[in-house]
Amino acid sequence: MDLPILIKTKYVQSPKVNVSYPIVTKLPHPQIEKKINNEIISTLNKMLIEEGFYNENLVEMIGHYEVKTNERGILSLSLLVYSYTGGAHGLTIIQSLTFDVATGKLVELKDLFEPNSQYVKILSEIIEKKIVEWEVPVLEVFKEIRMDQDFYLANHSIVIYFQVYEITPYVYGFPYFPIAIKDIEEIILAGGPLDKLLQF
């Protein structure tokens, strides 16, 4: 499964809602295809509810997706949903999903690294340096990422990111921190998703 997998766009539409989302198609194993698509739809449904899909004050909801990696048996994508229910401004949330296409397994951050690798500490130190270097305006002193911090895989990098308001003011938007896989090569899981993407 080194080749890109086929992705179709589906829509959730109503007078106030216009959301597009991906589904994978034509995988050799229907159960794996179903597993991946169920995870995508389940995540999207939670996002829509969180963003006010059933809120009577909903003015507008827009959603789309971005495919970040689709090769080497790895699918990494982001779902983005913006909604406005009144007030000063709307709010956007992003949820990223990374799959092992061979098994349909949803990959968590901890699955990318060797057990006992102290990945939280190592990634946090890299991000802390970038915050200083890029003069990112943080709401309070940055300590460390969560064990399940948001991430996606793209361009031989792992991109760690934070939701709006998580560590920065609203005006800053989403703080993204790309980290080259080769820079953390010593802690990545042998045979894992990062290792596969490194083998070029």
Side-chain angles (χ1 to χ4, degrees), residues 12 19 44-54 61 81:
V12 179
V19 174
L44 179 66
N45 283 339
K46 285 178 195 160
M47 292 173 73
L48 296 182
I49 291 167
E50 187 181 328
E51 285 285 80
F53 188 82
Y54 296 111
M61 179 175 281
V81 177

Side-chain angles (χ1 to χ4, degrees), residues 35-100:
K35 190 175 177 183
I36 293 173
N37 287 331
N38 283 349
E39 190 65 52
I40 292 171
I41 292 164
S42 168
T43 301
L44 179 66
N45 283 339
K46 285 178 195 160
M47 292 173 73
L48 296 182
I49 291 167
E50 187 181 328
E51 285 285 80
F53 188 82
Y54 296 111
N55 187 327
E56 59 186 24
N57 297 318
L58 180 66
V59 176
E60 180 184 38
M61 179 175 281
I62 301 167
H64 69 282
Y65 68 93
E66 297 170 355
V67 176
K68 303 297 188 176
T69 295
N70 184 5
E71 62 188 342
R72 303 264 160 172
I74 307 298
L75 175 64
S76 192
L77 54 86
S78 294
L79 304 171
L80 301 88
V81 177
Y82 163 86
S83 73
Y84 180 67
T85 54
H89 49 69
L91 186 66
T92 303
I93 56 174
I94 301 177
Q95 294 294 329
S96 300
L97 302 170
T98 297
F99 296 98
D100 179 330

Side-chain angles (χ1 to χ4, degrees), residues 64-186:
H64 69 282
Y65 68 93
E66 297 170 355
V67 176
K68 303 297 188 176
T69 295
N70 184 5
E71 62 188 342
R72 303 264 160 172
I74 307 298
L75 175 64
S76 192
L77 54 86
S78 294
L79 304 171
L80 301 88
V81 177
Y82 163 86
S83 73
Y84 180 67
T85 54
H89 49 69
L91 186 66
T92 303
I93 56 174
I94 301 177
Q95 294 294 329
S96 300
L97 302 170
T98 297
F99 296 98
D100 179 330
V101 176
T103 62
K105 176 180 166 54
L106 179 66
V107 178
E108 296 178 43
L109 189 59
K110 65 180 172 59
D111 301 329
L112 300 172
F113 303 102
E114 290 288 354
N116 308 314
S117 64
Q118 291 196 301
Y119 72 91
V120 168
K121 180 175 181 287
I122 291 166
L123 296 178
S124 298
E125 284 171 357
I126 294 170
I127 290 167
E128 191 176 8
K129 282 180 187 163
K130 290 180 187 286
I131 286 173
V132 174
E133 196 180 310
W134 299 346
E135 299 179 354
V136 177
V138 289
L139 294 169
E140 53 188 45
V141 176
F142 176 75
K143 294 194 175 84
E144 64 177 20
I145 62 169
R146 303 189 317 270
M147 290 182 72
D148 62 347
Q149 192 65 48
D150 293 316
F151 78 95
Y152 59 81
L153 307 181
N155 303 325
H156 295 94
S157 298
I158 174 171
V159 180
I160 304 286
Y161 67 93
F162 299 83
Q163 299 296 326
V164 172
Y165 291 127
E166 193 172 349
I167 64 166
T168 53
Y170 175 84
V171 291
Y172 189 82
F174 292 88
Y176 294 95
F177 298 94
I179 300 169
I181 299 171
K182 61 179 176 49
D183 290 348
I184 50 171
E185 196 172 353
E186 71 280 1

